[in-house]
Amino acid sequence: MQRVEQHASFGGSQEVWQFASPTLGCDTKFAVYLPPAALRGQACPVLYWLSGLTCTEQNFITKSGFQQHAAQHGLIVVAPDTSPRGEAVANDPGYDLGQGAGFYVNATQVPWAQHYRMQDHVALELPALVEQHFPANGQRGIFGHSMGGHGALITALRHPGRYRSVSAFSPIVAPSQVPWGQKALGAYLGPDPAAWAEWDAVALIKALPAGAERLPLLVDQGEADEFLAGQLRPELLAQACERTGHPLTLRRHAGYDHSYYFIASFIGEHVAHHAQALNSGR
């Protein structure tokens, strides 16, 4: 593992690391913010951010302004890339499939299955690496935006007990029912919709058995988002949560679009939401 960037930020350290990932079968990067408490040697909770289509580990750390809030609350924040990358990694000309568009699933179809195991990467491989090399205390939260909001929701739902908190900005809540998701899930998982349901937050919530973990969901959605009606469809999440009694706070914001201007406007509230759950577990 090699550090390739380091910047002082709000008394902490914003870093980018690269390592050879056995799960992805390629070199990959992830960003990690170490708050002042971590630099003093204090074991801190870790909050994982999953980014959206076309992003790398850079978008969130340079545009969201999360660092001041993570510093205040004593949270390590980790942001992986959105897909495997490299000349040997399968790709597609479209922005919504292939490199930059891993959708946080474990692909089963040729040619994607060899490298596209993003769910195992973000839920298992990366936390093990972070908890080995950084002062992490074992408490985890997860959040993300758009494709990454989808990733955060399904990762928490698929791994009960691994996370203490989850939230999302403008998530793709029901990929089985919208064009972005249908294209990606069809390519990565094959044509059977039953396989897609295992990676669909709305379907997973509907299928939760009695007594299953039900982490409260915080979701923020801009009303001026150009993808709201066609790709995101938060009303489907609201309906599923109401039907099953799953706790959801869905906040709609007039005038806000799909951009990082929206994320930066409410990132402090999301970090505080996670800090309340994560710091209570110390």
Side-chain angles (χ1 to χ4, degrees):
M1 193 168 76
Q2 178 185 7
R3 186 169 59 196
V4 295
E5 284 188 40
Q6 184 178 25
H7 311 280
S9 180
F10 292 95
S13 180
Q14 179 62 67
E15 304 177 1
V16 177
W17 291 76
Q18 180 173 298
F19 74 105
S21 165
T23 298
L24 301 180
C26 64
D27 287 345
T28 192
K29 293 179 181 178
F30 67 94
V32 58
Y33 177 73
L34 301 173
L39 296 185
R40 295 193 298 267
Q42 179 178 323
C44 298
V46 182
L47 180 54
Y48 291 86
W49 169 269
L50 305 182
S51 290
L53 289 166
T54 75
C55 290
T56 69
E57 81 288 341
Q58 291 290 322
N59 300 71
F60 180 65
I61 66 174
T62 59
K63 295 181 179 181
S64 72
F66 79 90
Q67 288 92 346
Q68 62 179 316
H69 307 291
Q72 174 187 348
H73 293 288
L75 301 183
I76 296 171
V77 180
V78 174
D81 201 349
T82 55
S83 76
R85 295 185 190 268
E87 292 184 5
V89 175
N91 202 5
D92 184 89
Y95 75 95
D96 51 358
L97 186 67
Q99 296 187 33
F103 264 81
Y104 305 103
V105 305
N106 291 332
T108 60
Q109 304 298 300
V110 176
W112 311 104
Q114 181 178 357
H115 297 285
Y116 284 75
R117 301 193 61 80
M118 286 299 295
Q119 178 67 186
D120 284 352
H121 175 62
V122 301
L124 303 175
E125 181 180 49
L126 193 56
L129 192 74
V130 168
E131 290 166 18
Q132 178 184 356
H133 292 282
F134 301 97
N137 68 4
Q139 303 295 326
R140 309 179 197 96
I142 191 165
F143 64 156
H145 171 238
S146 194
M147 177 185 71
H150 143 79
L153 294 175
I154 65 164
T155 302
L157 289 164
R158 288 173 59 90
H159 296 274
R162 283 192 65 80
Y163 302 93
R164 293 183 60 86
S165 56
V166 58
S167 72
F169 290 87
S170 317
I172 306 168
V173 302
S176 298
Q177 301 185 52
V178 299
W180 274 343
Q182 291 166 346
K183 178 178 179 178
L185 299 183
Y188 297 144
L189 306 174
D192 184 2
W196 302 358
E198 298 178 15
W199 305 94
D200 181 303
V202 166
L204 289 170
I205 287 170
K206 288 180 178 179
L208 280 175
E213 176 187 72
R214 296 178 185 273
L215 286 179
L217 309 180
L218 170 62
V219 174
D220 277 324
Q221 175 62 60
E223 288 291 333
D225 192 317
E226 60 269 41
F227 304 112
L228 177 59
Q231 304 283 9
L232 306 178
R233 304 202 57 193
E235 73 279 1
L236 297 177
L237 180 65
Q239 292 164 8
C241 288
E242 182 177 6
R243 174 179 166 185
T244 61
H246 198 293
L248 167 67
T249 300
L250 173 59
R251 309 190 302 185
R252 293 175 174 262
H253 302 274
Y256 286 91
D257 59 19
H258 199 68
S259 71
Y260 266 85
Y261 295 107
F262 174 48
I263 296 170
S265 298
F266 299 98
I267 193 66
E269 295 177 26
H270 278 246
V271 173
H273 164 80
H274 289 276
Q276 183 176 15
L278 292 169
N279 289 326
S280 67
R282 288 185 177 183

